[in-house]
Amino acid sequence: MPHARRIPVVKRSLGSWILDGNLPWQGLLLAVIGLFIATRVLPLEMQKRIVNEAIGRREVDLLLVYCGTYLAAVVLASACKYGIQVIETLIAQRTLARMRRALLEHALRLPLSFFRENPPGSVVNAVVNELAVPSNFVGAAVSTPLSNLLTLLAFAGYLLWLNPLLAVISLATYPLAMIVLPLLQRGANRANQKRVDLSRTFAGRIAEAFTGIHEIHGHAAFGVEQKRFEDLIERLRKVRIVWGLFRYGVKSANNFFTSLGPFVVFLLGGWLTIRGQLELGALVAFLSAQEKLYDPWKELIEFYQVYQDGKVTYRRTMEFFDVEAPVAAAPPDRPPLQLDGRLEVRHLDFLTETGLRLLQDIRLSLRPGEHLALVGFSGSGKSTLALCLAQLHAVAEGRIFLGGHDIARLSKRDIAANLGLVSQHPFLFEGTLRDNLLYACEALEAAAPRPSLDDVIAVLHQTGLFADVLQFGLNTPLDPRRHAAIGPGLIRVRRKFQEKYGARFAEVVEFFDASAYLEHSSIAENLLFGTAQRPEFEPARLAANDWMLDFLNREGLLHRLVNIGIRLARQTVDILGNLPAERVFFAQSPMSPEELPRFRRTLERLRRRSPEEPPSREETLALLELALRFTPGVHKTLELGEELRGRLLTARANLRRALAAEQPQAVAFHDAEAVLPFQPILKNILFGNTPPAPPKVQEEMLQTVIQLLIEKDLLEAIVGIGLEANVGSHGEKLSGGQQQKLAIARVLLKSPRILILDEATSALDNRSQARIQNLLETRWKGRCTVVAVVHRLDIVRHYDRIAVMKAGKIVEIGSWQELMERKGALYELAGKR
C-alpha cells in the first residue's frame, strides 16, 4: 500500500497494516485455507460412510479405505492449521516490528514539550507493550475470519445436505449469540480503554520513581512513593476486574449458546432416527459436525475480542503520539546547509505551556567567531534562551536567524550540522566511550567526514579526557585473542621499564618474582603465581576445589591454613565485633562485614567442642577461604612468619609441577617473557602489583609508562582499547566531571560553527574549567561563534560581549570593561558574588 507510507503513522488505521507489506503472505494463507476447509469437511463424510457402508455391510476393505482417508484428512488438516498459525505469527511479528519502527521514528521527532508532559515510562509502555495486541490482530485479520467463516459455511452446508430441518433448528442459536455477545463486548471495550490509560500512567509513575531512586533513598521517602502508587494500583485493580468480568461473560455466553446445539441434535435427531427418517450414520456425522462447529465459532469469538482489544489499544496509542513535530527532521531534497556563524535574535518571546512568559523581547546579534557570555541570577532565563537558540524550544514570538536563515524553517539536520549544544547535565547512552564520543558525528552521517583516531586523541587532549581514557585502557584486562597484536609490544615495554626504571620504582611496584613471597598478593595468589584458566582454579574458588584441597593436604598446609582462618576470624570478631558493619572498619581484615555473623557462629560452635574434634567440612572450607584471602601488605590483623612464607613458596613450586602434570590447562603461570592473560594491561607492563603510593610518585610512574608506550608506538592502541570501556547506564561508571568532559569533547569533535554552552563546565574542578576556557579563547576564538551560559563571573572577562539577564530580559550587553565602567547590572551582580 504505497499511499499508506505517505500517511503519518499516527493517522493510519489499524486495517491499513493488514495488506501493507504482507500481500504475498496473505496470498499464501488463502491457498492453505482452501486446503484446510476441504480437509475439515471430508472426515464428516467418512464417518457417515464408515457407519452406513463399511460397518452396515460388514465390509473390511471399505472400513480400511474410509479409515485411511479419514486419517489422511485429519493429518493434512493439522498440518494446514499449523501452517496457518506459523504464517499468522510471521505476519504479526513483521507488522509489530514495522509499527514500532514507524512509531519510534515519529516519537523521536516530537517536540520536547511532549516528553515534559509525558513521563518516559508511558512512552516506553506504549511502544513496547501496547502494539503487541494490534499486531496480533493484523496477523490473524485475514486467516482467522476467512478460515472459520468458510468452515462454518462448509459445515452448515453439509448439515443442510444431511437434513435441512435438523440443520436449521440446530443452527438457530448462532444468530441469537451474535446479538448478545457484541453487547457484552462493548462493556469490555470501555473497561479496556480505562485499563490502557491507567496502565500507561502506572508505568510512567514507576519509571519516574526508579529514575529518581537516589532522591527516594536520600529522603527515605518510601512511604510517600507507596502512597502515590496505592490509588493507581487500586483503580487499576477495579478496572481489570470489570474488564475481566465482561471478557469472561463473553466466553460464558458463547459456551452456553454453543452447548444448546448438541442438545437440539440429540433431541430432534434422535427422534428422527427412531422414526427411520434419519440414518444412524448421518446422525453420527451430524453430531460430529455440530461438535466441530464449536471450534470455528470459538475462534471467531476470540478473534472478535482480539480485534476489539487491538482496535482500542491501537487507537489510544496513536492518539497518545498524535502530536505534530514542529520542524522537519531532515531537508527532503538537499544536503544540510553549511552556514556561517552569524547569529541574530529579533524580539524573541518564549511562553511555557501554562502561559508563563520566561523570555521577553530578546534582541542580540553576533558576528561569526564572536563569543557571548549570558550571566544573571538563577531563573533569569539564560538556559531558556540557550535552548531556544538550539531549536529545542519553540518560540512564541520573534525570530532567530543562524547564518541568515530563520531556524523555524531549518530542519533538525541543518541545525545539527552547524550548531553544537553542551548542557549542564549531559546525557550519556549505554555503550562505550567511543560510541558516546562519536555520537554527534555519527548522527550527521555523510554530512561530515568521520573523525580519525588522531582527531579523537586531539579532542581528548584538549578537553582533559585523554588521561582518563588512557587509564581505562591500562586497566582493561588483556584478552589474548582480542589484544594479540599488542602482546609483543607490551613485553618490550616491560623489559625496558624493568631494565631502565625497575630500581627507581622498586618501592612503588612489587615485581613478580617466582622466588619471592608477594606481600601485596593473597595466599591463594601466591600459591598459584599465575592466572586461572578454569573457573575452579580462580583464587576465590580454591577453597571449594577438591583437587586443591588434596594438594594442600599432601603439602601439610591444609590444617595450618585452617588454623590461620580461625585466628583471623577470632581477631576480627574480637576487634570489630561491636563496631558498625561498615567496610571502612574491615579494610585491614580479609573478612567482610556481611560475613561477621557467620564466623561468630562458627567460633561459638568451635568453643563448645573438644580441642580434638575437628571442624565440619562446611566450617573447614569457610575458614580456609578466609585464610586464602589473607594479604600481608593489606591485612594487618595477623603476621605471617618467615617459616610459613618459605613453606608457601615451596608449595608454589610443587603446585606448578603438579598442575603441569595433572591439570595442564588450569593456570597460566606468570612468565616475564609472556603476557598475563586477563590481567590489566598496566599489570602486564609492570609485571607486578602496585601497592598504595604517594600520588606524585604514582603520577611519575604513569608518565614513565606513557613515554615508553610512545617510544614503542603503542599509545594509540591503548587509547583505542580505553575508548571501548563501557560507560554504563546514563554514564554511571564515569564521574560527573568525566561525563561533562566527554559531552564537551563529543560536540567539539564535529567542529560546529556555532557552540551553545549551558553551564557546560559546572561539574568540573577549577583546573579543568580553566583548561576548557583556555581552549575556547585560543583554538575556537574567531573560528566558532560561542554563546555560553556562565555562572562564575571570574571566567567571563575575556568574552567579546556579556549579556546580563534579569526576569527574562537582557538588561545590558557589552564587554566586561564597558559594563563594569557603567556600574549597572553586571557591576551589581559581581559585587553580590
Side-chain angles (χ1 to χ4, degrees):
M1 298 178 64
H3 69 282
R5 294 191 182 93
R6 294 193 293 269
I7 301 174
V9 63
V10 293
K11 301 295 185 184
R12 291 186 61 172
S13 66
L14 180 57
S16 69
W17 297 92
I18 295 174
L19 296 180
D20 186 14
N22 297 318
L23 193 57
W25 293 102
Q26 301 287 18
L28 179 60
L29 267 179
L30 293 177
V32 178
I33 288 170
L35 182 60
F36 176 65
I37 301 303
T39 56
R40 291 293 298 275
V41 177
L42 185 58
L44 301 177
E45 180 65 17
M46 290 303 101
Q47 289 179 21
K48 186 187 79 170
R49 295 191 180 191
I50 287 170
V51 174
N52 289 342
E53 298 179 18
I55 297 177
R57 300 175 188 174
R58 300 180 181 277
E59 294 186 15
V60 176
D61 291 343
L62 279 179
L63 179 64
L64 294 176
V65 170
Y66 290 155
C67 285
T69 305
Y70 180 93
L71 179 62
V74 170
V75 171
L76 189 55
S78 298
C80 289
K81 182 65 174 178
Y82 178 73
I84 290 172
Q85 291 173 336
V86 168
I87 298 173
E88 285 179 352
T89 302
L90 289 174
I91 293 174
Q93 294 306 312
R94 280 167 51 88
T95 302
L96 178 59
R98 293 173 63 247
M99 280 182 177
R100 284 175 172 167
R101 191 177 296 116
L103 193 57
L104 277 172
E105 184 180 4
H106 173 81
L108 288 171
R109 289 161 169 75
L110 294 180
L112 295 182
S113 57
F114 173 85
F115 297 99
R116 284 193 294 269
E117 295 171 4
N118 299 287
S122 300
V123 179
V124 171
N125 185 59
V127 176
V128 174
N129 298 323
E130 294 179 8
L131 293 178
V133 176
S135 67
N136 288 337
F137 160 74
V138 171
V142 172
S143 61
T144 298
L146 185 62
S147 63
N148 288 291
L149 282 173
L150 290 177
T151 300
L152 283 172
L153 291 174
F155 283 174
Y158 183 71
L159 294 179
L160 288 169
W161 179 70
L162 288 176
N163 191 295
L165 176 63
L166 184 58
V168 170
I169 294 176
S170 63
L171 293 174
T173 58
Y174 290 96
L176 182 60
M178 295 178 67
I179 296 174
V180 174
L181 295 180
L183 294 177
L184 293 173
Q185 185 61 49
R186 278 199 286 272
N189 288 349
R190 289 192 295 270
N192 191 29
Q193 288 184 8
K194 295 180 181 178
R195 179 192 66 84
V196 170
D197 293 342
L198 281 173
S199 296
R200 187 182 298 146
T201 303
F202 188 47
R205 289 281 178 86
I206 292 175
E208 181 185 46
F210 288 124
T211 301
I213 194 68
H214 292 87
E215 289 295 321
I216 295 173
H217 276 257
H219 299 288
F222 313 110
V224 174
E225 290 302 316
Q226 190 64 32
K227 288 178 183 177
R228 293 179 64 196
F229 291 134
E230 286 297 335
D231 178 60
L232 275 174
I233 292 173
E234 184 61 21
R235 288 165 59 194
L236 191 56
R237 180 186 69 84
K238 293 178 179 178
V239 167
R240 290 188 69 89
I241 289 175
V242 173
W243 181 51
L245 289 176
F246 274 111
R247 285 171 60 87
Y248 296 137
V250 171
K251 292 183 179 179
S252 298
N254 179 52
N255 291 337
F256 170 74
F257 287 119
T258 54
S259 297
L260 288 178
F263 166 76
V264 173
V265 172
F266 277 119
L267 182 63
L268 182 58
W271 182 74
L272 291 174
T273 303
I274 292 172
R275 297 192 55 177
Q277 296 178 2
L278 185 67
E279 296 175 333
L280 180 61
L283 178 61
V284 172
F286 214 107
L287 286 169
S288 180
Q290 181 66 46
E291 182 182 357
K292 291 185 178 182
L293 273 173
Y294 175 72
D295 291 335
W297 179 253
K298 176 185 175 184
E299 289 192 22
L300 280 173
I301 295 301
E302 290 176 348
F303 171 75
Y304 179 67
Q305 286 188 317
V306 169
Y307 164 64
Q308 293 294 335
D309 292 347
K311 181 177 69 172
V312 170
T313 305
Y314 182 82
R315 184 175 67 248
R316 304 299 279 186
T317 301
M318 294 308 165
E319 288 174 354
F320 178 68
F321 285 102
D322 192 6
V323 178
E324 185 177 356
V327 295
D333 52 2
R334 60 170 173 79
L337 295 173
Q338 298 298 313
L339 308 177
D340 60 35
R342 284 178 295 152
L343 176 62
E344 185 178 2
V345 181
R346 300 178 185 172
H347 305 288
L348 173 67
D349 286 10
F350 176 77
L351 282 73
T352 65
E353 290 81 3
T354 59
L356 179 65
R357 190 176 298 274
L358 298 183
L359 295 177
Q360 183 176 353
D361 196 27
I362 301 295
R363 289 171 288 175
L364 61 87
S365 178
L366 294 177
R367 297 185 299 274
E370 198 169 11
H371 289 196
L372 170 73
L374 296 176
V375 301
F377 288 110
S378 296
S380 60
K382 307 184 297 296
S383 293
T384 302
L385 176 56
L387 294 178
C388 288
L389 296 178
Q391 204 192 51
L392 296 183
H393 281 332
V395 299
E397 298 176 9
R399 301 171 77 180
I400 300 173
F401 294 88
L402 298 183
H405 293 262
D406 189 342
I407 67 169
R409 299 182 180 180
L410 294 177
S411 69
K412 288 290 184 183
R413 183 64 63 85
D414 291 318
I415 297 294
N418 295 277
L419 183 145
L421 169 69
V422 184
S423 65
Q424 181 179 1
H425 303 289
F427 188 90
L428 300 184
F429 296 91
E430 171 73 31
T432 66
L433 283 164
R434 186 191 302 274
D435 295 335
N436 279 276
L437 194 59
L438 297 179
Y439 186 79
C441 296
E442 295 285 354
L444 293 176
E445 297 173 349
R450 182 183 176 87
S452 65
L453 182 58
D454 289 339
D455 296 329
V456 171
I457 290 177
V459 168
L460 293 178
H461 273 295
Q462 293 164 9
T463 55
L465 196 58
F466 179 81
D468 299 293
V469 175
L470 180 61
Q471 196 68 54
F472 285 132
L474 292 173
N475 291 333
T476 299
L478 182 74
D479 188 324
R481 287 173 294 183
R482 290 177 51 223
H483 306 141
I486 67 170
L490 292 179
I491 301 299
R492 290 193 293 271
V493 173
R494 177 193 298 172
R495 290 197 205 105
K496 188 68 173 290
F497 182 85
Q498 292 195 345
E499 291 171 5
K500 193 171 181 179
Y501 303 101
R504 180 176 174 184
F505 294 110
E507 295 182 2
V508 181
V509 182
E510 183 182 50
F511 295 107
F512 293 143
D513 183 349
S515 63
Y517 192 88
L518 303 174
E519 296 295 311
H520 291 274
S521 292
S522 67
I523 290 178
E525 292 167 337
N526 267 282
L527 283 169
L528 289 177
F529 197 69
T531 304
Q533 302 294 286
R534 296 215 306 262
E536 64 269 26
F537 282 92
E538 292 176 359
R541 299 188 183 185
L542 280 186
N545 184 329
D546 289 335
W547 187 94
M548 193 66 184
L549 290 175
D550 182 63
F551 170 80
L552 292 174
N553 197 37
R554 293 198 310 267
E555 292 291 315
L557 286 173
L558 182 58
H559 181 67
R560 293 194 64 174
L561 290 175
V562 170
N563 284 335
I564 287 176
I566 294 174
R567 290 169 58 194
L568 287 168
R570 283 176 178 164
Q571 292 189 14
T572 302
V573 169
D574 291 344
I575 298 172
L576 305 176
N578 296 321
L579 293 177
E582 297 179 10
R583 293 193 175 275
V584 64
F585 297 118
F586 288 74
Q588 295 187 359
S589 171
M591 186 188 301
S592 68
E594 296 78 14
E595 294 174 320
L596 185 68
R598 178 166 64 110
F599 281 105
R600 178 182 276 127
R601 291 191 298 269
T602 299
L603 292 175
E604 190 61 35
R605 287 194 297 267
L606 291 176
R607 286 192 189 100
R608 291 198 298 264
R609 295 179 192 155
S610 64
E612 294 79 14
E613 186 178 356
S616 67
R617 175 177 171 81
E618 180 183 356
E619 293 167 344
T620 297
L621 297 184
L623 293 167
L624 176 61
E625 181 183 353
L626 185 64
L628 289 175
R629 290 187 211 153
F630 181 73
T631 305
V634 177
H635 306 134
K636 306 301 183 181
T637 53
L638 188 71
E639 177 64 34
L640 283 184
E642 290 301 321
E643 186 269 336
L644 181 56
R645 281 182 168 83
R647 289 286 300 274
L648 291 171
L649 289 176
T650 301
R652 175 196 292 177
N654 294 339
L655 178 63
R656 185 163 191 165
R657 286 191 291 269
L659 286 174
E662 302 174 32
Q663 306 279 348
Q665 303 301 319
V667 177
F669 300 105
H670 293 335
D671 184 344
E673 294 301 318
V675 297
L676 309 178
F678 304 107
Q679 295 292 325
I681 289 176
L682 181 59
K683 181 175 283 192
N684 266 276
I685 294 172
L686 302 177
F687 196 65
N689 297 317
T690 52
K696 184 177 180 181
V697 180
Q698 289 182 333
E699 179 65 22
E700 184 182 354
M701 182 193 68
L702 184 60
Q703 291 302 320
T704 301
V705 170
I706 292 173
Q707 185 59 43
L708 292 175
L709 290 173
I710 294 173
E711 291 176 10
K712 302 300 181 183
D713 200 24
L714 282 176
L715 187 64
E716 287 189 1
I718 304 300
V719 171
I721 293 172
L723 288 171
E724 299 306 316
N726 195 291
V727 303
S729 176
H730 303 291
E732 62 182 9
K733 294 182 180 180
L734 305 181
S735 68
Q738 288 171 333
Q739 292 179 30
Q740 210 151 32
K741 285 188 282 187
L742 178 55
I744 296 171
R746 176 167 62 192
V747 170
L748 295 185
L749 195 57
K750 71 174 185 177
S751 298
R753 292 169 178 81
I754 300 171
L755 180 61
I756 310 293
L757 301 174
D758 184 9
E759 295 197 40
T761 61
S762 59
L764 302 182
D765 55 50
N766 292 338
R767 182 178 178 183
S768 297
Q769 280 197 6
R771 175 193 286 270
I772 299 300
Q773 191 59 41
N774 181 64
L775 174 67
L776 294 175
E777 294 171 6
T778 54
R779 181 175 177 80
W780 296 96
K781 198 65 171 282
R783 292 182 51 198
C784 173
T785 304
V786 175
V787 177
V789 176
V790 180
H791 180 72
R792 290 178 49 184
L793 295 183
D794 57 323
I795 65 173
V796 304
R797 295 173 180 268
H798 300 291
Y799 278 83
D800 297 309
R801 301 167 73 190
I802 302 168
V804 184
M805 298 191 65
K806 187 175 183 179
K809 298 180 180 179
I810 295 179
V811 294
E812 65 179 11
I813 187 169
S815 68
W816 171 269
Q817 188 66 31
E818 292 170 351
L819 296 183
M820 293 303 288
E821 289 177 357
R822 192 181 301 171
K823 295 187 177 182
L826 181 63
Y827 184 86
E828 179 185 356
L829 193 64
K832 290 184 178 181
R833 294 287 172 85

